[in-house]
Amino acid sequence: MVKAESVYKSYGRLEVLRGIDLEVSPREVMCIIGPSGSGKSTFLRCINHLEKIDAGRLSVDGELVGYRQRGDRLYELPEAEVCRKRSEIGMVFQRFNLFPHMTALENVIEAPIRVKGESREVASERGRRLLDRVGLAEKVDVYPNQLSGGQQQRVAIARALAMEPKLILFDEPTSALDPELVGEVLDVMRKLAEEGMTMIVVTHEMGFAREVGDSLVLMDAGVIVEEGKPREVISNPQHERTRAFLSKVL
Amino acid sequence: MADVADRPAAIKAVPVRHPGRWISAVIVLLIGSYVVGTVVTAVARDPTKEGGGWATVAHYFTAPLILRGVLLTLVLTVCAMAVGIVLGIVLAVMRLSPNWVVAWVSWIYIWFFRGTPVLVQIFFWYNLNILLPHIGIGIPFTSLWLQADTNTLIPSFVVVLLGLGLNEAAYMSEIVRAGIISVEHGQTEAAMALGMDRMLLMRRIVLPQAMRVIIPPTGNETISMLKTTSLAYVAAFPELFTRSDQIATSTYAVLELLIVASIWYLIMTSVLTVGQYYIERRFARGSQRQLPLTPLQRFRRMLVTFHAPPPLPIEPPVVIGSEHR
């Protein structure tokens, strides 16, 4: 589903990604952990072309992200094409980023109506069902600032699901939440994983990574330090760096 | 849980006295009434007017020519602001465009129209017929050509509208741009991640949120515009100020007609101020849990207590914007 081959990215002089290689198969849940500044979020943002990579190859579903290849030449994709590809990839942000001027339902149905061209009736019908699925059937007409952080993040997940994505990227979805609200968001994510959604999750929730994740990746300073089955990586880390990191977060 | 009976009684304390407020109120009242009184009696004693100056003011205050002038002032304000706001939004979006040609066109427009006095611009449009006596469209180097006299094509209303509207657009675009920049970047990212293109996310996500920042200065601009329309005087467009000046010249009631015009301008700006307040309230939707009080509610509260700023009412939380769709 996602394939990265020696992906590099820098901001000016600062090299954020220094050769990332990894592969995510369909229905896989990959968790990425690592200290802040290690490039996890940047890598996630590269996958839906919110950031451009400098070198290497990154593809989703066999198609290059942001480019088209003809012969051995790369052509930048036009905006419409980039948007179409982004619409197939969901993204959930650390700070929720709900649209504050729209109710929960309006947040969910906005993109299906405006981007996919669905009718308001069809979109609303599915939007209500999605909000029900994340346990917010009662909050359909409520504005984001009247919701708790956990509720906002669940609306954000419903918003991503409304586009029927083939892949969802989670950028530290529980890091901005009060501890007692983390569980409700993780529960929704766990259900999604069970239903077979392909997910890449940048997280600090080791419990979630161990129980829900199919694979675990530890990034540090722009490279992948260790990769494997979550249980094995957590219980028997092969690298000193992994051991040091795990000892701090476990 | 503490028993309800255990709860101590609400605090009842003697409020702090504020003698300074009373003293300053008296001083302001004295100075104010002296200034107003002097003007009022001076106008009343105007020896050249039968029945004193105030009778003249009252007479012309509702004169048909003045009322029509008031109407034209309002029409001109609305039209010039409409041109300014629409063009201003376009310019602001252009200015932030990744297409540098478009961005530069916007920059140069703003540079020119903000850098020259609006009076000069109105004169320019007014005298356009000297430069271009005829305006026409057609296919170059053929006889297919439509042509009209510049003065008939551009009546004085359009002259003033162009002068005021195009100038206003330059200012409005900076206001809109500030509003757009004020919207958190995460909003743009979320919209982009959903597959929205630049125009769509601008229209549906960023601009509606920018409104909260854009509206207060726009209200300011509208009030300013209402008064700037008096520059239409130089293009002989018969709005309020042109009319009152014409009457003043023919009747020698100069001061009286200035008072008439001033009272009308004050009435119109006051109405606009109230309108602005309610529009701001509407766009606060989704950003505040509790809407601020209306001026009427605040006034009532002020009558109740002259001492302290009133505490917020304890009411069930208002569901903001529940009437919306």
Side-chain angles (χ1 to χ4, degrees):
Chain A
M1 176 69 76
V2 177
K3 193 170 181 197
E5 294 164 84
S6 50
V7 168
Y8 281 80
K9 166 80 192 168
S10 34
Y11 295 112
R13 282 236 185 106
L14 181 71
E15 280 211 306
V16 188
L17 301 178
R18 301 186 298 150
I20 299 288
D21 289 278
L22 60 74
E23 203 167 344
V24 183
S25 5
R27 306 174 71 85
E28 180 178 342
V29 176
M30 174 179 280
C31 293
I32 303 180
I33 57 172
S36 56
S38 59
K40 305 167 300 210
S41 293
T42 304
F43 178 64
L44 216 55
R45 294 155 53 82
C46 288
I47 295 175
N48 64 359
H49 207 50
L50 285 177
E51 304 282 353
K52 273 185 186 170
I53 62 173
D54 298 333
R57 294 169 69 86
L58 184 57
S59 59
V60 175
D61 238 4
E63 288 176 34
L64 283 183
V65 174
Y67 304 95
R68 177 178 296 134
Q69 186 164 23
R70 262 193 236 127
D72 49 5
R73 259 241 169 94
L74 285 183
Y75 296 87
E76 269 187 26
L77 289 178
E79 191 192 11
E81 197 66 11
V82 172
C83 288
R84 192 186 57 74
K85 287 195 169 180
R86 277 197 194 122
S87 72
E88 298 169 354
I89 302 173
M91 186 153 189
V92 175
F93 299 86
Q94 182 177 0
R95 308 274 338 160
F96 329 133
N97 295 353
L98 289 180
F99 307 132
H101 57 304
M102 298 180 178
T103 63
L105 183 65
E106 286 166 355
N107 263 280
V108 174
I109 65 178
E110 178 69 13
I113 292 175
R114 306 276 164 181
V115 178
K116 274 187 156 182
E118 278 178 16
S119 75
R120 181 167 286 276
E121 291 72 43
V122 173
S124 302
E125 159 68 22
R126 207 186 44 245
R128 279 172 203 282
R129 238 183 312 125
L130 285 169
L131 284 172
D132 185 39
R133 202 165 127 196
V134 297
L136 292 172
E138 262 104 80
K139 304 291 185 182
V140 166
D141 292 321
V142 171
Y143 284 89
N145 72 352
Q146 291 167 302
L147 296 171
S148 74
Q151 291 170 332
Q152 289 189 50
Q153 193 61 299
R154 284 186 281 152
V155 174
I157 293 174
R159 179 174 72 176
L161 288 173
M163 293 299 281
E164 299 177 316
K166 52 189 179 188
L167 162 72
I168 303 187
L169 312 170
F170 292 87
D171 188 5
E172 303 201 25
T174 57
S175 298
L177 297 178
D178 289 341
E180 86 258 30
L181 302 178
V182 168
E184 62 190 57
V185 172
L186 291 182
D187 283 344
V188 170
M189 290 167 62
R190 180 174 294 130
K191 258 194 278 170
L192 269 181
E194 282 163 8
E195 287 160 20
M197 176 62 74
T198 314
M199 294 160 59
I200 304 180
V201 187
V202 171
T203 186
H204 295 294
E205 295 297 327
M206 298 310 294
F208 177 84
R210 178 163 43 204
E211 280 145 42
V212 183
D214 298 308
S215 56
L216 182 64
V217 167
L218 182 110
M219 276 179 72
D220 188 27
V223 293
I224 291 178
V225 176
E226 188 157 353
E227 186 180 359
K229 294 257 171 251
R231 276 169 207 285
E232 288 163 20
V233 174
I234 291 169
S235 57
N236 184 23
Q238 300 299 307
H239 293 265
E240 188 48 46
R241 186 70 195 88
T242 316
R243 229 165 288 156
F245 180 76
L246 288 175
S247 72
K248 282 188 201 127
V249 296
L250 284 177
Chain B
M1 275 288 277
D3 203 78
V4 179
D6 287 347
R7 192 193 143 120
I11 292 175
K12 266 189 217 140
V14 180
V16 175
R17 301 287 162 201
H18 297 285
R21 291 184 192 178
W22 292 99
I23 294 170
S24 53
V26 169
I27 293 174
V28 167
L29 220 61
L30 279 176
I31 297 175
S33 53
Y34 173 75
V35 171
V36 174
T38 308
V39 174
V40 168
T41 46
V43 174
R45 278 204 224 102
D46 187 343
T48 63
K49 297 292 163 307
E50 213 177 308
W54 288 109
T56 314
V57 169
H59 173 72
Y60 283 113
F61 188 69
T62 53
L65 278 181
I66 291 290
L67 290 183
R68 235 173 293 151
V70 168
L71 183 68
L72 285 177
T73 293
L74 285 174
V75 170
L76 191 57
T77 305
V78 170
C79 293
M81 280 312 289
V83 170
I85 290 170
V86 172
L87 194 56
I89 291 175
V90 172
L91 284 167
V93 174
M94 281 169 69
R95 180 89 192 268
L96 295 167
S97 167
N99 179 339
W100 59 268
V101 178
V102 166
W104 266 91
V105 168
S106 169
W107 190 90
I108 287 170
Y109 180 99
I110 295 165
W111 170 76
F112 182 81
F113 281 93
R114 227 169 38 158
T116 52
V118 65
L119 185 56
V120 173
Q121 289 170 30
I122 294 174
F123 262 124
F124 176 83
W125 295 112
Y126 189 54
N127 294 308
L128 196 64
N129 64 328
I130 301 171
L131 205 63
L132 301 166
H134 303 286
I135 290 179
I137 49 164
I139 303 163
F141 313 115
T142 65
S143 57
L144 292 171
W145 201 267
L146 281 168
Q147 205 169 45
D149 191 42
T150 303
N151 273 352
T152 48
L153 200 66
I154 307 185
S156 65
F157 176 75
V158 178
V159 164
V160 183
L161 183 63
L162 280 175
L164 295 175
L166 297 187
N167 182 264
E168 186 57 33
Y171 285 92
M172 277 308 302
S173 82
E174 288 296 278
I175 291 172
V176 173
R177 191 169 67 99
I180 290 173
I181 293 171
S182 77
V183 177
E184 200 205 332
H185 187 62
Q187 294 290 312
T188 307
E189 270 189 358
M192 274 173 24
L194 286 166
M196 296 193 189
D197 62 39
R198 219 183 85 83
M199 284 325 269
L200 182 61
L201 77 87
M202 201 46 104
R203 195 161 51 84
R204 295 288 306 171
I205 308 300
V206 176
L207 280 177
Q209 293 184 62
M211 279 310 201
R212 217 160 38 85
V213 175
I214 292 172
I215 282 171
T218 303
N220 224 14
E221 290 291 308
T222 310
I223 289 167
S224 168
M225 175 63 79
L226 190 98
K227 297 171 296 168
T228 314
T229 52
S230 58
L231 292 181
Y233 171 75
V234 301
F237 178 72
E239 46 65 67
L240 175 57
F241 181 69
T242 310
R243 274 300 182 224
S244 57
D245 184 71
Q246 285 167 350
I247 298 173
T249 321
S250 57
T251 61
Y252 301 108
V254 178
L255 193 62
E256 284 79 2
L257 274 140
L258 285 179
I259 291 174
V260 168
S262 300
I263 294 174
W264 271 116
Y265 280 119
L266 277 173
I267 291 173
M268 289 189 280
T269 49
S270 307
V271 171
L272 283 181
T273 309
V274 174
Q276 178 189 1
Y277 183 83
Y278 282 93
I279 295 176
E280 273 174 40
R281 241 171 91 88
R282 175 170 159 77
F283 278 92
R285 191 163 45 99
S287 69
Q288 275 160 300
R289 276 165 203 259
Q290 190 141 27
L291 287 178
L293 299 175
T294 64
L296 208 64
Q297 288 171 330
R298 254 188 303 173
F299 183 66
R300 256 191 243 129
R301 218 162 277 235
M302 202 181 77
L303 289 186
V304 177
T305 161
F306 189 65
H307 291 290
L312 279 174
I314 299 164
E315 283 163 14
V318 190
V319 179
I320 301 161
S322 54
E323 81 288 353
H324 175 74
R325 238 204 311 258

